[in-house]
Every structure is written in structure tokens, then in C-alpha cells.
Amino acid sequence: MKPAPAPGSAARARSGPLFGAKLALSRAIGAASRASGRGGGTTLPGRVLLRLEPDAIARLGSGLPRGAAIVSATNGKTTTAGMLAAILAADGRRPVHNRAGSNMTWGVATALLEQRGDEGLFEVDEAWLPRVASQLDPGLIVLGNLFRDQLDRYGELEALADDWAELVERRAGRTRFVLNADDPLIADLGRDREERPRPGVSYFGINDASQALPQLQHAHDAKHCRRCGHPYEYERAFVGHLGHYSCPNCGARRPAPQVVATSIELLGMRGSRVSVTTPAGGLELELPLPGLYNVYNALAAFAAAMELGVEGAKAAGALAQMRAVFGRVETIEVSGRPLSILLIKNPAGANEVLRTLSLERDGDGLDLWIALNDRIADGRDVSWVWDADFEILAGAVRRVVCAGTRAPEMALRLKYAGWPEDAIEVIPEIDSSLDRAVAGAEGPLFALPTYTALLELRTLLSQRGLARDYWE
């Protein structure tokens, strides 16, 4: 077996010594960044390289003999890409992968710059997907969902859906697509303007009606048919607007998925058991990550693995051994107490975390640490917390410490959700609030941070020697 090529070696050979010098300089800057202890060098080398060579992603990507796959979604892209990476590893493959979650152009460029491999696997931010895809020329794109998220940065869902539709149309016949049948914004991308199925498109979804919500959530996003504008009718919904839908006006409806969960048993924080039907037959998944949202992530990864030629049983075995991606249901021991970290960043994702925790109540109730930040990477507008259904845990919480730059607003939201005022404490600082929450907990502590609060928390835990740096 031939050794994997050095990062960018094929592109460098075609592009001459000048491009090679730019690669060397960018790598050196990345090494210096890591040596300084200020970060993992997951973005700076790529930023420098793209400034020196704007088409570096295309050049380096052309040096991947087996091509590249891209995973994008509002919620779950880091976990889905991590699941797919684990499946490929079980198949003896080691893709170039931006595993630390830096998912804009510079994160992709950094991974291509610094890793060895003959194929690529990249999670890509939903707003950056068209740009990265145009440069990387991927053979496979996996699209998981579109939820309302950071409206002050990305705008309304329909704008992103339009951008994705243009991308799919441009790449029809050149790229295979794995799409979520249960998200009408995503499923519609697999049909052309005459509603005919596009070639090279496959779908995944859930068929277990027992997991449906009793009613559509307040954070329900995709309300109107993209074909005619008429309101959808839902037979059932599973996560936010993901479910079984149809348009009574034009007849557009959920397509039949090829990879489908027919039976799901949710086991709280322990994970789930899932029966899956595929074109190659049925199998059972033992998924160690909790929540229906992770069932969707696993179905997406499994469907993508089939497209990439991995045998079903091998993929299922890899998912059964899946470790949590940082901040996505990681559990770390702090002062002898298990601290489980569950990222929340928008109403749909927060609701699924709350739904999962509702299965965990024990004794006098749950101990929580919730950190709400409003930095640029979180979105300055935190009004989304008023759309998340924190009422799900009313009566199930023993104690909660609110932290972050908007800790008082988080506490106010919990008060209006019916959480007892004497159980709510506000300490904005990440370190002191965490210590207070750990010291006062009687059972497991559940941490619900927004994105930059998650990074602060993980940095704090690594500095205390309790966890590895999140980029490792």
C-alpha cells in the first residue's frame, strides 16, 4: 500500500516553489501559535494561507485522490462529521478532517495544510457552504437541517435555503447528496423545478411515530411550502419542524427515505437503541449519544457511509463505539462529580437537550449550570431563549447557576418558565460560577453553555488538567 501523500504535495508539485513556500510559512505560523499556548492553531494557518493564496483550498483539495465529502447543517454538523470520521476509521481510512470544529474557509484550509490523507471530510458552516463547495469540488455533500440560528448574522432560513438550492442545482450530476427527508427545506433540494428527483440524491429520516411530539413546538421554523407558499400540514413532528409533512395546495410532500429509523428507544443520557432499514437490509444501532437529535445525526452519517462504500455492519459497529465530540454530551469529572456538557445555541437544539434531560430527573431534581453569552460567534441577539421551551423542566430542577455575559437574562427566562426563584443563582464569571455549581450539586451536574461559553468552559477544564484541549 502506498503511503499517504504529504499535505498538499500533489498541488505543490504542480504549482511550483512559490506555492510551496507559502505552505511552509503558513505551517510555521500555525506551529508558533500552538507553541504560544494561546490556541490550537486551527484557524490562523488557514487565514494566512488564504491571504497569501486565495485559491489554496482548490489547489490542496485537488491533491486528495479519493476526493472530499462535506457535512453541513445548523445543528449537529460537528457530531455528524465526527460520526462519519469514526466510521471511516473503522474501515481503515483516515481522512483529512477539521475535527476541532473550525468550519469556515480558514478551518478547511488549515486541515488541508496540516494533515495527511487521500480523502477529505469537512464540516462546513451553513453560510459558507457554497463558497467552500465551489473551491473543494466535493464528491459528496450531506445536508442535515436548517434551523433558525443567529438571525443577526445569517438572516432568515429562506435565504440560506435559496443559497443551498442554487448550490445543488449547480452541482447536479457532479456531486452526490445525502439529504434529510424530514426537513422540508432540505428535502426540497433533491427535486428540480418540475419536482422530478435529481440524480445522485438519497434521503434519511425517521418513521417511528411513537417519538413524535404531542404538538408542533413554538420554535417551529419551516411553516410554508417552498414551491407555492401554502402552509404545510404535519402528520407528525419529531424535532422542531423535522417530521412528516405535505402541502395540501401543490402536493409537495416528504420523500421516502432510503435510510430510515423504524423503531427508536430513547434511554436518556445513556443513548438510544435504533432499528434501521437500508437498501442493503436492516440492522440495529446501539448509540451511546443521547437524544433524538443524535439519532438524526447517526442516520446522516450512516447514509453518507453507505455512499462512501462502507459496509453497514461495520458502520453500525463504529457508531456503537462513538465518543462525544467536545461539548456535545461530553462527560468530564470535576471534583469527583460528573459534569455533562450539552451545547445549546438555538431554540430547536435547546429543546432537544431539555427533552433529553427531562428523562434524567432523580431524587430532588436536576442540578444545572447554564451559560448564556452574546459574543459574535454566539450571535448578539439572545432573544432566542424566549422561544426555547425551558418550561419542559419546570418542576424538575433542584438548583441552577446562570453564568455568562447575559446571565441575568437567562435567569429571568427561567423565572418566567416556572423554575423556582430560590433555585436560581446568577454568577456571570465562568470559573467561579462553575465552582459554585459543582460545590452545590447533589448528583450529576449538567452544563448547558452557548458556543463561546463552551469554549471558555473547555479551556478552563483543560487549564485545570481535567480535560484535553478541545482541538486535540
Side-chain angles (χ1 to χ4, degrees):
M1 184 176 178
K2 296 173 69 174
S9 59
R12 184 170 61 251
R14 288 193 296 272
S15 304
L18 181 58
F19 185 51
K22 294 174 181 178
L23 297 178
L25 175 61
S26 301
R27 287 196 191 99
I29 289 173
S33 173
R34 287 185 288 274
S36 73
R38 295 182 179 180
T42 60
T43 63
L44 182 59
R47 286 183 183 273
V48 172
L49 179 59
L50 291 173
R51 180 65 63 89
L52 296 173
E53 193 68 49
D55 64 345
I57 290 176
R59 293 191 178 192
L60 293 173
S62 67
L64 298 170
R66 299 179 70 165
I70 289 177
V71 176
S72 193
T74 304
N75 292 344
K77 52 186 172 288
T78 300
T79 299
T80 299
M83 288 175 168
L84 186 52
I87 291 171
L88 293 177
D91 199 42
R93 296 152 68 170
R94 296 292 187 275
V96 176
H97 176 209
N98 54 338
R99 63 183 182 276
S102 181
N103 55 29
M104 299 180 189
T105 51
W106 41 83
V108 174
T110 298
L112 286 165
L113 176 71
E114 298 195 333
Q115 296 179 34
R116 296 175 178 268
D118 60 0
E119 64 185 311
L121 170 58
F122 305 101
E123 67 154 290
V124 176
D125 179 271
E126 55 270 33
W128 289 77
L129 175 62
R131 185 180 307 186
V132 173
S134 68
Q135 297 177 38
L136 198 57
D137 192 26
L140 177 67
I141 295 179
V142 183
L143 301 179
N145 53 66
L146 279 174
F147 289 108
R148 183 161 40 105
D149 186 57
Q150 299 188 40
L151 296 182
D152 54 338
R153 295 177 65 202
Y154 293 158
E156 292 290 346
L157 286 181
E158 287 73 14
L160 278 174
D162 288 344
D163 290 343
W164 281 20
E166 292 176 8
L167 166 69
V168 173
E169 188 164 353
R170 286 196 307 270
R171 300 207 60 85
R174 299 160 54 198
T175 295
R176 291 166 291 150
F177 288 88
V178 171
L179 307 179
N180 188 344
D182 295 353
D183 187 333
L185 293 170
I186 301 297
D188 190 60
L189 303 178
R191 298 181 283 249
D192 65 20
R193 293 174 182 173
E194 284 72 41
E195 298 194 37
R196 295 171 303 200
R198 294 185 188 276
V201 172
S202 62
Y203 290 99
F204 63 91
I206 291 175
N207 276 3
D208 184 355
S210 71
Q211 297 300 327
L213 296 164
Q215 60 187 13
L216 287 172
Q217 295 173 323
H218 179 62
H220 176 69
D221 290 322
K223 297 180 173 67
H224 297 90
C225 176
R226 280 180 52 79
R227 297 278 165 174
C228 69
H230 196 278
Y232 283 118
E233 290 184 353
Y234 272 79
E235 181 180 356
R236 60 185 61 95
F238 298 109
V239 175
H241 63 266
L242 308 187
H244 299 178
Y245 52 87
S246 62
C247 175
N249 184 55
C250 71
R253 62 179 56 247
R254 171 192 185 249
Q258 287 76 45
V259 174
V260 56
T262 55
S263 176
I264 301 169
E265 181 183 5
L266 297 178
L267 305 172
M269 292 293 292
R270 291 182 293 138
S272 60
R273 298 189 185 99
V274 187
S275 298
V276 180
T277 299
T278 78
L283 50 85
E284 301 297 316
L285 286 182
E286 296 282 341
L287 194 61
L289 304 183
L292 203 59
Y293 55 103
N294 274 317
V295 174
Y296 272 116
N297 295 336
L299 292 173
F302 192 88
M306 294 186 66
E307 292 289 334
L308 294 174
V310 181
E311 191 267 331
K314 186 175 291 184
L319 289 173
Q321 302 299 317
M322 178 69 192
R323 292 177 52 199
V325 182
F326 82 92
R328 280 73 170 179
V329 210
E330 260 186 315
T331 298
I332 297 168
E333 188 168 299
V334 180
S335 299
R337 189 170 303 284
L339 173 71
S340 294
I341 307 171
L342 301 98
L343 173 69
I344 59 171
K345 62 174 186 170
N346 54 39
N351 284 349
E352 287 309 300
V353 168
L354 297 169
R355 187 178 174 188
T356 297
L357 291 180
S358 70
L359 302 175
E360 291 296 311
R361 180 175 181 175
D362 188 24
D364 293 332
L366 301 170
D367 291 303
L368 301 172
W369 178 86
I370 303 179
L372 176 65
N373 277 357
D374 63 350
R375 298 193 171 97
I376 289 178
D378 304 291
R380 295 293 193 187
D381 181 0
V382 297
S383 62
W384 65 266
V385 300
W386 295 90
D387 290 329
D389 296 330
F390 287 95
E391 288 79 3
I392 293 172
L393 292 185
V397 173
R398 191 187 75 85
R399 185 168 178 270
V400 57
V401 177
C402 296
T405 59
R406 301 295 287 273
E409 183 160 353
M410 188 72 250
L412 182 65
R413 172 68 186 98
L414 299 181
K415 173 186 173 181
Y416 277 94
W419 295 27
E421 289 187 60
D422 58 0
I424 303 170
E425 188 170 2
V426 176
I427 304 176
E429 297 77 18
I430 296 296
D431 52 357
S432 54
S433 65
L434 178 67
D435 291 338
R436 177 78 169 179
V438 170
E442 292 186 355
L445 179 63
F446 299 99
L448 280 60
T450 56
Y451 184 69
T452 64
L454 166 63
L455 299 184
E456 291 180 68
L457 173 62
R458 286 294 275 98
T459 298
L460 174 66
L461 294 177
S462 65
Q463 289 173 344
R464 292 182 176 182
L466 301 174
R468 297 192 307 173
D469 289 321
Y470 65 84
W471 57 79
E472 291 182 348

